[in-house]
Amino acid sequence: MKTAIVIGAGFGGLALAIRLQSAGVQTTIVESRDKPGGRGYFWERATDEGTFTFDAGPTVITDPDCLRELWALSGRDMSADVTLDPVLPFYRLNWPDGTNFDYSNDDVQMRAEIEKLHPGDWAGYEKFLHYSAGVFHEGYEKLGHVAFLDFGSMIKAAPALAKYQAWRSVYSIVSSFVKSEKLREALSFHTLLVGGNPMTTSAIYALIHKLERDGGVWFARGGTNRLVAALVTQFERLGGVLRLDDPVTSIETLGDRATGVTTASGWSGQADAVAANSDIMHTYRDLLATSRSAKRKTGSLERKKYSPSLFVVHFGIKGTWPGIPHHMILFGPRYKGLLEDIYDHGVLSEDFSLYLHHPTVTDPSLAPEGHSTFYALAPVPHLGKFPVDWDEIAPILEKRILDEIGRRLIPDIHERIVTKFSYAPKDFAQDLNAHLGSAFSLEPVLTQSAYFRVHNRDEHIPNLYFVGAGTHPGAGIPGVVGSAKATARLMLEGEK
């Protein structure tokens, strides 16, 4: 393989392209939007006070070593292109009764925090960490970068999955170790960061705790967009080509081979292999519209379960808030019931839980002097479960979210706002071609994981590959960067 085209400049697409280019494969990335990054997009808002920078996400960076490896392939150091700053506490969790819980990897601090919630739960927490280390080793270190192309590969993994009771949910496993309901919520919410319901997502995802404990939680100085820019710098210095603002309209095929792509501008690119970092349904339904095998795949994809969407309010305000940490989870009055409304019933509840991102407490440069940048994120049902006019609902939900932040953290928030805008499920669908406006592609339940997820290589078009949240191992920066490692191995070994 001498040439390759990667569709989409998200984290998965960039990571794959860097691996291919590092191996001597001339690679072109074709991106539909005016900036690279995919879900790592960003906006700048100019005001009389100055410019505010807003990251779309992902703003929780874990396992930085998986990123550093992309530079090490060519003997370079990632730190020359981007600085990652540690974030402590990892998260502050806050409940409506005023309880705060600072989550970190500092055992002394964690013991004190757990003792506040339930004096007897420290021993159970230690047992949970031991469990998390086990699933991390079996589920991430061993299987996170390996493609599952046949059922036999799944059978080989079965003993490890059985040993750690992978059929149980994260919440169920956590509950077997600790008694405090608040601590159960604190140790199970992480699956929401990759689109999974803590009540149904496989217990294997408890590995996130080991990932954070060992690798920490980080933020890219200047915003996640600076990490995206660093990935682009590394790709282009290796000789790769990035085409922006030119959506791919079709993947061209001849027989059982992909021959290249055609774009909206009329550009036609040929390559020995094509890899899609685009939405999986969009790829099969729209970009492969003339392929009979793709039509069969589209039918099976339509029957799968997709992760919820998100409603995100970005706002820049007057004042600085050193008492509000970088990452906060503002739990609502319900946990299980709210999750059922989002995942099962397709209801936009009166109550909600929020992830509050406050990057200027770590990096003040993202807002004018004396000001702060925030976003508040609420999981909401995807468009398939809640097909409404978001232009009508967005202003109502935006106000309710800001009111809640005002009630719990910033009393005069409305008077302080300098600039604000929201991002809704319809925007995920329009900007990212995300099926049903899902923010994380396929829901990470056990029956849609590993072999049961979209394969990293198409079964019928052997030089068509997939990377990103819809394929193994799933969403999140470590997930999509891991998918790039698995896919690159297939692409490079397939040519030997």
Side-chain angles (χ1 to χ4, degrees):
M1 180 175 59
K2 296 180 180 178
T3 58
I5 291 174
V6 176
I7 303 169
F11 274 94
L14 286 166
L16 174 60
I18 288 170
R19 285 188 174 278
L20 295 176
Q21 197 69 43
S22 297
V25 178
Q26 183 56 50
T27 306
T28 300
I29 304 175
V30 187
E31 168 58 42
S32 63
R33 302 179 81 178
D34 62 335
K35 298 172 191 166
R39 283 163 173 74
Y41 195 79
F42 76 102
W43 300 271
E44 291 179 325
R45 291 289 188 267
T47 70
D48 291 341
E49 285 81 359
T51 299
F52 293 83
T53 301
F54 298 98
D55 277 321
T59 49
V60 178
I61 299 172
T62 55
D63 191 16
D65 284 348
C66 76
L67 294 165
R68 294 187 184 105
E69 192 175 299
L70 299 172
W71 274 260
L73 291 168
S74 56
R76 292 186 175 271
D77 188 343
M78 183 176 78
S79 63
D81 293 326
V82 63
T83 299
L84 297 184
D85 292 318
V87 175
L88 281 170
F90 294 165
Y91 317 91
R92 174 170 295 162
L93 313 179
N94 173 268
W95 285 269
D97 65 3
T99 301
N100 283 321
F101 180 88
D102 283 0
Y103 183 81
S104 71
N105 57 357
D106 183 308
D107 281 346
V108 174
Q109 292 181 8
M110 277 295 288
R111 184 162 192 159
E113 293 292 306
I114 289 171
E115 294 287 336
K116 285 194 309 185
L117 297 183
H118 191 279
D121 269 342
W122 174 252
Y125 173 70
E126 288 187 307
K127 291 176 183 176
F128 169 69
L129 287 182
H130 179 73
Y131 172 89
S132 174
V135 291
F136 174 80
H137 177 64
E138 296 291 343
Y140 186 74
E141 290 186 319
K142 282 189 177 181
L143 306 176
H145 318 113
V146 177
F148 285 77
L149 299 182
D150 55 67
F151 193 65
S153 59
M154 193 72 179
I155 295 296
K156 290 178 184 176
L161 298 176
K163 177 183 178 183
Y164 290 99
Q165 303 177 65
W167 62 86
R168 295 179 63 179
S169 72
V170 170
Y171 181 84
S172 169
I173 282 289
V174 166
S175 298
S176 71
F177 291 111
V178 299
K179 294 183 173 64
S180 164
E181 176 55 30
K182 285 187 171 73
L183 188 55
R184 289 173 176 180
E185 294 174 14
L187 298 178
S188 65
F189 83 89
H190 292 75
T191 62
L192 289 161
L193 302 179
V194 293
N197 180 350
M199 300 295 170
T200 57
T201 297
S202 169
I204 291 294
Y205 281 82
L207 65 84
I208 293 173
H209 291 270
K210 177 66 171 175
L211 197 67
E212 290 181 343
R213 187 174 176 84
D214 287 1
V217 172
W218 303 81
F219 181 70
R221 191 176 300 172
T224 304
N225 65 88
R226 292 297 87 203
L227 177 55
V228 171
L231 289 164
V232 171
T233 295
Q234 171 66 354
F235 173 61
E236 291 184 330
R237 77 158 56 99
L238 292 168
V241 176
L242 173 62
R243 290 182 63 89
L244 293 173
D245 214 8
D246 195 11
V248 170
T249 53
S250 67
I251 296 172
E252 305 301 333
T253 59
L254 182 62
D256 66 349
R257 303 285 294 178
T259 58
V261 304
T262 300
T263 67
S265 71
W267 179 77
S268 180
Q270 284 75 48
D272 298 322
V274 175
N277 184 216
S278 42
D279 177 83
I280 51 171
M281 178 63 86
H282 171 62
T283 303
Y284 275 110
R285 181 190 58 209
D286 304 326
L287 304 187
L288 288 163
T290 60
S291 166
R292 281 193 292 180
S293 66
K295 288 179 181 177
R296 292 193 296 272
K297 186 70 173 180
T298 298
S300 69
L301 286 173
E302 285 176 337
R303 294 188 290 273
K304 290 186 179 293
K305 297 174 69 174
Y306 286 80
S307 293
S309 192
L310 302 172
F311 183 80
V312 189
V313 184
H314 298 267
F315 55 100
I317 64 174
K318 297 174 183 174
T320 57
W321 306 91
I324 300 178
H326 194 122
H327 303 296
M328 279 194 79
I329 305 295
L330 303 178
F331 286 110
R334 300 181 302 148
Y335 191 60
K336 183 179 180 182
L338 178 61
L339 292 168
E340 288 175 345
D341 283 350
I342 294 167
Y343 283 83
D344 302 329
H345 305 146
V347 172
L348 189 64
S349 309
E350 286 294 318
D351 59 316
F352 43 73
S353 290
L354 301 174
Y355 160 55
L356 186 67
H357 181 232
H358 177 207
T360 41
V361 76
T362 301
D363 183 358
S365 73
L366 295 166
E369 187 175 356
H371 293 72
S372 300
T373 296
F374 287 87
Y375 80 57
L377 176 158
V380 296
H382 62 58
L383 297 172
K385 291 184 180 292
F386 191 61
V388 296
D389 183 354
W390 273 98
D391 288 334
E392 183 180 328
I393 289 178
I396 300 169
L397 184 55
E398 181 181 283
K399 183 179 184 303
R400 284 173 50 205
I401 287 172
L402 291 173
D403 286 347
E404 182 69 5
I405 296 169
R407 189 180 70 79
R408 291 166 74 164
L409 293 171
I410 308 171
D412 55 349
I413 187 170
H414 290 286
E415 289 73 41
R416 290 179 173 275
I417 289 176
V418 176
T419 183
K420 66 181 173 68
F421 65 98
S422 57
Y423 201 80
K426 72 177 182 68
D427 298 305
F428 283 93
Q430 291 172 3
D431 295 346
L432 297 161
N433 294 301
H435 183 53
L436 304 176
S438 168
F440 305 94
S441 192
L442 293 173
E443 188 178 338
V445 293
L446 188 60
T447 53
Q448 294 186 165
S449 299
Y451 171 76
F452 302 113
R453 214 161 178 82
V454 171
H455 295 174
N456 301 71
R457 182 175 64 211
D458 185 78
E459 296 96 310
H460 302 285
I461 306 172
N463 67 332
L464 175 62
Y465 299 86
F466 290 87
V467 65
T471 190
H472 174 71
I477 291 179
V480 299
V481 172
S483 80
K485 189 171 184 177
T487 301
R489 185 179 292 125
L490 287 176
M491 295 176 77
L492 297 171
E493 289 181 355
E495 295 302 313
K496 289 182 179 178

